[in-house]
Amino acid sequence: MNNWKKCFLPNKYFEFTLTHTIITCLFLLILTKLALPSEEENTHSIKPHIPFYGKLQYAGNIGMFSIGVGGIFLNNSLSLDINYGYLPKWINGVRVSTMAIKGAFHFFKKQLKKIEVNSFAGLSLNYSITNNTFLMLPKHYPDGYYLPNAIHVCPFIGTGLAFIDCKTGLHGPGVYTEVGTVDYMVYYAFRNKSISLFEIWNLCFGITVPIVKG
Amino acid sequence: MKIISYAGFVLQMISIFCCCDIIQYSPYEADIKNKHSNSDEINRIKKKKLNKSDTLRFAFLTDNHDNYDDLDKAVTSINKQKELMFVVCGGDITDGGLVQQYNWYVDIIKKCKYPFLTIIGNHDYLANGQVVFGKIFGSTNYSFILEDYKFIFFDDIIQENRFKGPQYQWLKNECADTVHHQVFIAHIPHWSGLISGYHNIIFWEILKPERILLCLYGHNHTYTEENDCNNLKSIVGNDIEGKEYYIVSLIGDNASIKRVNY
């Protein structure tokens, strides 16, 4: 039990971090190799589509794990999903529930045989419930004393791949990784020279599964 | 589009190799990067040798909120000061009580060559700030004795602490010491509108000028010197954006303040 718990505690266990980093590097190198093929490489012309999907995500500012459902619109270029994430108290002492609406523009796609690789960027609007967070200022504070602190806007950019049925053009399960940040961190990095723009990003991983075939 | 795809990939690689926290579950989490325990800092202070003939001097600054650059400059300037015993930050070290904000603060104060003590402010209580503060600094109420002086650091936050109330009994016990001169340090001035009604009365009952040499506060973002109705000498520090900190000198039963601009 304890060993399993330790595996999910970031930056405390070097071995896990190292393994995690190596796996991520390999994963991203494969994605890049697939996403940027040579000129001669043949590609298929079938237009895959995945109108609705379910997803499971690890980390990424919306909890330790989150689940969500969403769809792809506008000729497969815009995805929109709603997510619920949870951070249990035993991880680092606080319990956080988060609802997030994520919209992403898929700006690059490449289909290679049975795999489609895509890159996307977007914004997530996160509403979290934990201690001392609020949307409306509690009455015991003077007007305008604090700004609402339960909502954050989180920009992200990511890469994913999904398996495709070449005959029907339908998506199968897929995986993705994102690098994202939180609104206040971007503001702080621009406001303070002592905070580097490089240190405000974090990673998440997820899987998608089609739930309704179009 | 390929360029953006490359940029995304490069960003991901940077986040893996350069970022301190590649995994963040939530901005509200309490996964601290470094501890900076006040009790460890007090042990450092007690190990320092104080020349009896010398004045006891320490620096006081407060309310850095989201201004880490000026905090960094203040620490650089304080490091150039000679013969300080320690440095105190008077609270509101974060703007929203978020763990990353605390981590950035700790990264900067670790550069200080003098022991650095921190008290909690009302902003530090927001979100899970109280939990994070406890993990990094320890208790929000603490005290220590150095030579003829007793330094009392008191958490006087009420609203953000969900009206659980300051630990008045603890304060009363600490102030009952009649042997040492006392220096009282808290975030919100005890005459503030946020400390009203019976809280105000309790403060006036506990804080007596016969024993307390000086009160130091933050919160108001403006430098003021006050003598309350108890004739208690109090100083409210300007925020870090005012680009000043204070050198407090204690000699016998006298306390003097020097404003330092950097």
mmCIF file of all heavy atoms in Angstrom, chain B residues 38-39 42 46 117 139-146 149-154 170 173-175 177 183:
data_model
loop_
_atom_site.group_PDB
_atom_site.id
_atom_site.type_symbol
_atom_site.label_atom_id
_atom_site.label_comp_id
_atom_site.label_asym_id
_atom_site.label_seq_id
_atom_site.Cartn_x
_atom_site.Cartn_y
_atom_site.Cartn_z
ATOM 1 N N ASN B 38 10.465 27.357 11.059
ATOM 2 C CA ASN B 38 10.783 28.465 11.967
ATOM 3 C C ASN B 38 11.578 27.972 13.170
ATOM 4 O O ASN B 38 12.461 28.675 13.665
ATOM 5 C CB ASN B 38 9.494 29.149 12.433
ATOM 6 C CG ASN B 38 8.914 30.057 11.354
ATOM 7 O OD1 ASN B 38 9.635 30.708 10.612
ATOM 8 N ND2 ASN B 38 7.596 30.091 11.256
ATOM 9 N N SER B 39 11.280 26.762 13.654
ATOM 10 C CA SER B 39 12.012 26.260 14.821
ATOM 11 C C SER B 39 13.476 26.006 14.480
ATOM 12 O O SER B 39 14.366 26.252 15.305
ATOM 13 C CB SER B 39 11.342 25.005 15.386
ATOM 14 O OG SER B 39 11.297 24.009 14.405
ATOM 15 N N ILE B 42 15.088 29.351 14.529
ATOM 16 C CA ILE B 42 15.305 29.817 15.907
ATOM 17 C C ILE B 42 16.548 29.139 16.496
ATOM 18 O O ILE B 42 17.352 29.777 17.190
ATOM 19 C CB ILE B 42 14.046 29.551 16.771
ATOM 20 C CG1 ILE B 42 12.916 30.487 16.326
ATOM 21 C CG2 ILE B 42 14.347 29.734 18.257
ATOM 22 C CD1 ILE B 42 11.557 30.150 16.887
ATOM 23 N N LYS B 46 19.861 30.983 18.044
ATOM 24 C CA LYS B 46 20.395 30.737 19.386
ATOM 25 C C LYS B 46 21.860 30.306 19.356
ATOM 26 O O LYS B 46 22.576 30.458 20.339
ATOM 27 C CB LYS B 46 19.540 29.692 20.091
ATOM 28 C CG LYS B 46 18.185 30.255 20.504
ATOM 29 C CD LYS B 46 17.340 29.269 21.261
ATOM 30 C CE LYS B 46 16.078 29.952 21.783
ATOM 31 N NZ LYS B 46 15.154 29.016 22.427
ATOM 32 N N LEU B 117 12.634 34.287 9.794
ATOM 33 C CA LEU B 117 11.396 33.821 10.422
ATOM 34 C C LEU B 117 10.190 34.397 9.685
ATOM 35 O O LEU B 117 10.239 35.532 9.199
ATOM 36 C CB LEU B 117 11.348 34.260 11.886
ATOM 37 C CG LEU B 117 12.492 33.738 12.757
ATOM 38 C CD1 LEU B 117 12.528 34.468 14.088
ATOM 39 C CD2 LEU B 117 12.349 32.246 12.983
ATOM 40 N N SER B 139 4.362 25.686 13.248
ATOM 41 C CA SER B 139 3.246 26.327 13.937
ATOM 42 C C SER B 139 3.111 27.809 13.551
ATOM 43 O O SER B 139 4.102 28.481 13.269
ATOM 44 C CB SER B 139 3.457 26.204 15.444
ATOM 45 O OG SER B 139 2.502 26.973 16.120
ATOM 46 N N THR B 140 1.858 28.292 13.579
ATOM 47 C CA THR B 140 1.649 29.710 13.252
ATOM 48 C C THR B 140 1.846 30.604 14.481
ATOM 49 O O THR B 140 1.956 31.815 14.351
ATOM 50 C CB THR B 140 0.231 29.936 12.676
ATOM 51 O OG1 THR B 140 -0.730 29.420 13.595
ATOM 52 C CG2 THR B 140 0.071 29.252 11.332
ATOM 53 N N ASN B 141 1.865 30.016 15.674
ATOM 54 C CA ASN B 141 2.196 30.762 16.901
ATOM 55 C C ASN B 141 3.497 30.201 17.456
ATOM 56 O O ASN B 141 3.614 28.986 17.631
ATOM 57 C CB ASN B 141 1.111 30.577 17.979
ATOM 58 C CG ASN B 141 -0.217 31.159 17.557
ATOM 59 O OD1 ASN B 141 -0.289 32.275 17.061
ATOM 60 N ND2 ASN B 141 -1.277 30.394 17.735
ATOM 61 N N TYR B 142 4.447 31.054 17.706
ATOM 62 C CA TYR B 142 5.692 30.572 18.301
ATOM 63 C C TYR B 142 6.416 31.732 18.994
ATOM 64 O O TYR B 142 6.076 32.904 18.764
ATOM 65 C CB TYR B 142 6.603 29.911 17.252
ATOM 66 C CG TYR B 142 6.952 30.768 16.057
ATOM 67 C CD1 TYR B 142 8.187 31.424 15.984
ATOM 68 C CD2 TYR B 142 6.067 30.926 15.003
ATOM 69 C CE1 TYR B 142 8.518 32.205 14.883
ATOM 70 C CE2 TYR B 142 6.381 31.713 13.912
ATOM 71 C CZ TYR B 142 7.605 32.350 13.850
ATOM 72 O OH TYR B 142 7.921 33.128 12.769
ATOM 73 N N SER B 143 7.357 31.378 19.826
ATOM 74 C CA SER B 143 8.106 32.419 20.538
ATOM 75 C C SER B 143 9.495 31.898 20.857
ATOM 76 O O SER B 143 9.738 30.687 20.800
ATOM 77 C CB SER B 143 7.380 32.790 21.840
ATOM 78 O OG SER B 143 7.448 31.703 22.734
ATOM 79 N N PHE B 144 10.388 32.796 21.175
ATOM 80 C CA PHE B 144 11.708 32.372 21.661
ATOM 81 C C PHE B 144 12.314 33.508 22.472
ATOM 82 O O PHE B 144 11.902 34.678 22.352
ATOM 83 C CB PHE B 144 12.623 31.942 20.513
ATOM 84 C CG PHE B 144 13.082 33.052 19.611
ATOM 85 C CD1 PHE B 144 14.331 33.650 19.784
ATOM 86 C CD2 PHE B 144 12.280 33.493 18.571
ATOM 87 C CE1 PHE B 144 14.749 34.673 18.945
ATOM 88 C CE2 PHE B 144 12.700 34.505 17.728
ATOM 89 C CZ PHE B 144 13.940 35.100 17.912
ATOM 90 N N ILE B 145 13.266 33.129 23.300
ATOM 91 C CA ILE B 145 13.937 34.115 24.156
ATOM 92 C C ILE B 145 15.376 34.262 23.700
ATOM 93 O O ILE B 145 16.063 33.262 23.450
ATOM 94 C CB ILE B 145 13.875 33.668 25.633
ATOM 95 C CG1 ILE B 145 12.415 33.728 26.121
ATOM 96 C CG2 ILE B 145 14.779 34.525 26.515
ATOM 97 C CD1 ILE B 145 12.165 33.053 27.444
ATOM 98 N N LEU B 146 15.796 35.500 23.557
ATOM 99 C CA LEU B 146 17.180 35.778 23.176
ATOM 100 C C LEU B 146 17.679 36.870 24.111
ATOM 101 O O LEU B 146 17.164 37.995 24.093
ATOM 102 C CB LEU B 146 17.223 36.249 21.713
ATOM 103 C CG LEU B 146 18.600 36.351 21.077
ATOM 104 C CD1 LEU B 146 19.282 34.995 21.010
ATOM 105 C CD2 LEU B 146 18.489 36.947 19.676
ATOM 106 N N TYR B 149 15.369 39.477 25.864
ATOM 107 C CA TYR B 149 14.150 39.741 25.084
ATOM 108 C C TYR B 149 13.392 38.463 24.749
ATOM 109 O O TYR B 149 13.994 37.429 24.468
ATOM 110 C CB TYR B 149 14.509 40.483 23.784
ATOM 111 C CG TYR B 149 15.250 41.762 24.047
ATOM 112 C CD1 TYR B 149 16.642 41.797 23.960
ATOM 113 C CD2 TYR B 149 14.586 42.926 24.421
ATOM 114 C CE1 TYR B 149 17.345 42.966 24.228
ATOM 115 C CE2 TYR B 149 15.282 44.094 24.682
ATOM 116 C CZ TYR B 149 16.661 44.115 24.591
ATOM 117 O OH TYR B 149 17.344 45.263 24.871
ATOM 118 N N LYS B 150 12.090 38.615 24.769
ATOM 119 C CA LYS B 150 11.249 37.504 24.323
ATOM 120 C C LYS B 150 10.505 37.965 23.070
ATOM 121 O O LYS B 150 9.849 39.017 23.070
ATOM 122 C CB LYS B 150 10.245 37.137 25.406
ATOM 123 C CG LYS B 150 9.364 35.964 25.017
ATOM 124 C CD LYS B 150 8.525 35.503 26.196
ATOM 125 C CE LYS B 150 7.936 34.137 25.929
ATOM 126 N NZ LYS B 150 7.201 33.626 27.079
ATOM 127 N N PHE B 151 10.616 37.185 22.023
ATOM 128 C CA PHE B 151 9.945 37.507 20.761
ATOM 129 C C PHE B 151 8.717 36.611 20.619
ATOM 130 O O PHE B 151 8.839 35.383 20.651
ATOM 131 C CB PHE B 151 10.900 37.312 19.586
ATOM 132 C CG PHE B 151 12.087 38.228 19.637
ATOM 133 C CD1 PHE B 151 13.244 37.849 20.321
ATOM 134 C CD2 PHE B 151 12.046 39.472 19.037
ATOM 135 C CE1 PHE B 151 14.330 38.708 20.397
ATOM 136 C CE2 PHE B 151 13.132 40.334 19.111
ATOM 137 C CZ PHE B 151 14.273 39.954 19.794
ATOM 138 N N ILE B 152 7.575 37.247 20.469
ATOM 139 C CA ILE B 152 6.318 36.498 20.379
ATOM 140 C C ILE B 152 5.723 36.693 18.993
ATOM 141 O O ILE B 152 5.452 37.823 18.580
ATOM 142 C CB ILE B 152 5.318 36.977 21.455
ATOM 143 C CG1 ILE B 152 5.908 36.761 22.855
ATOM 144 C CG2 ILE B 152 3.987 36.237 21.323
ATOM 145 C CD1 ILE B 152 5.139 37.471 23.958
ATOM 146 N N PHE B 153 5.555 35.584 18.281
ATOM 147 C CA PHE B 153 5.005 35.635 16.922
ATOM 148 C C PHE B 153 3.593 35.064 16.982
ATOM 149 O O PHE B 153 3.406 33.890 17.323
ATOM 150 C CB PHE B 153 5.883 34.812 15.971
ATOM 151 C CG PHE B 153 7.291 35.312 15.887
ATOM 152 C CD1 PHE B 153 8.228 34.965 16.860
ATOM 153 C CD2 PHE B 153 7.694 36.143 14.853
ATOM 154 C CE1 PHE B 153 9.526 35.435 16.791
ATOM 155 C CE2 PHE B 153 8.997 36.618 14.781
ATOM 156 C CZ PHE B 153 9.916 36.264 15.759
ATOM 157 N N PHE B 154 2.626 35.887 16.616
ATOM 158 C CA PHE B 154 1.242 35.502 16.886
ATOM 159 C C PHE B 154 0.396 35.517 15.618
ATOM 160 O O PHE B 154 0.441 36.474 14.829
ATOM 161 C CB PHE B 154 0.651 36.474 17.920
ATOM 162 C CG PHE B 154 -0.684 36.055 18.435
ATOM 163 C CD1 PHE B 154 -0.867 34.823 19.051
ATOM 164 C CD2 PHE B 154 -1.794 36.891 18.310
ATOM 165 C CE1 PHE B 154 -2.106 34.432 19.540
ATOM 166 C CE2 PHE B 154 -3.036 36.516 18.785
ATOM 167 C CZ PHE B 154 -3.190 35.281 19.403
ATOM 168 N N TRP B 170 -2.860 30.986 24.626
ATOM 169 C CA TRP B 170 -1.414 30.823 24.358
ATOM 170 C C TRP B 170 -0.713 32.175 24.490
ATOM 171 O O TRP B 170 0.328 32.281 25.126
ATOM 172 C CB TRP B 170 -1.219 30.258 22.948
ATOM 173 C CG TRP B 170 0.218 30.076 22.562
ATOM 174 C CD1 TRP B 170 0.996 28.980 22.795
ATOM 175 C CD2 TRP B 170 1.061 31.038 21.901
ATOM 176 N NE1 TRP B 170 2.275 29.196 22.309
ATOM 177 C CE2 TRP B 170 2.344 30.453 21.759
ATOM 178 C CE3 TRP B 170 0.867 32.330 21.415
ATOM 179 C CZ2 TRP B 170 3.407 31.107 21.154
ATOM 180 C CZ3 TRP B 170 1.936 32.995 20.811
ATOM 181 C CH2 TRP B 170 3.187 32.383 20.682
ATOM 182 N N ASN B 173 -0.441 33.304 28.100
ATOM 183 C CA ASN B 173 0.625 32.591 28.813
ATOM 184 C C ASN B 173 2.006 33.141 28.435
ATOM 185 O O ASN B 173 2.875 33.291 29.286
ATOM 186 C CB ASN B 173 0.573 31.091 28.507
ATOM 187 C CG ASN B 173 -0.692 30.450 29.056
ATOM 188 O OD1 ASN B 173 -1.349 31.008 29.936
ATOM 189 N ND2 ASN B 173 -1.054 29.291 28.526
ATOM 190 N N GLU B 174 2.188 33.415 27.137
ATOM 191 C CA GLU B 174 3.483 33.915 26.681
ATOM 192 C C GLU B 174 3.758 35.302 27.248
ATOM 193 O O GLU B 174 4.871 35.613 27.657
ATOM 194 C CB GLU B 174 3.514 33.978 25.145
ATOM 195 C CG GLU B 174 3.496 32.629 24.454
ATOM 196 C CD GLU B 174 4.721 31.786 24.741
ATOM 197 O OE1 GLU B 174 5.827 32.352 24.764
ATOM 198 O OE2 GLU B 174 4.570 30.570 24.968
ATOM 199 N N CYS B 175 2.712 36.132 27.281
ATOM 200 C CA CYS B 175 2.889 37.500 27.759
ATOM 201 C C CYS B 175 2.995 37.583 29.278
ATOM 202 O O CYS B 175 3.330 38.642 29.820
ATOM 203 C CB CYS B 175 1.729 38.385 27.279
ATOM 204 S SG CYS B 175 1.772 38.695 25.517
ATOM 205 N N ASP B 177 5.151 36.320 31.031
ATOM 206 C CA ASP B 177 6.568 36.376 31.372
ATOM 207 C C ASP B 177 6.931 37.802 31.837
ATOM 208 O O ASP B 177 6.806 38.760 31.080
ATOM 209 C CB ASP B 177 7.374 36.002 30.126
ATOM 210 C CG ASP B 177 8.870 36.016 30.366
ATOM 211 O OD1 ASP B 177 9.298 36.560 31.394
ATOM 212 O OD2 ASP B 177 9.588 35.476 29.520
ATOM 213 N N VAL B 183 8.813 41.551 22.533
ATOM 214 C CA VAL B 183 8.539 42.128 21.210
ATOM 215 C C VAL B 183 7.434 41.287 20.595
ATOM 216 O O VAL B 183 7.580 40.061 20.469
ATOM 217 C CB VAL B 183 9.803 42.128 20.319
ATOM 218 C CG1 VAL B 183 9.465 42.650 18.923
ATOM 219 C CG2 VAL B 183 10.912 42.954 20.950
#
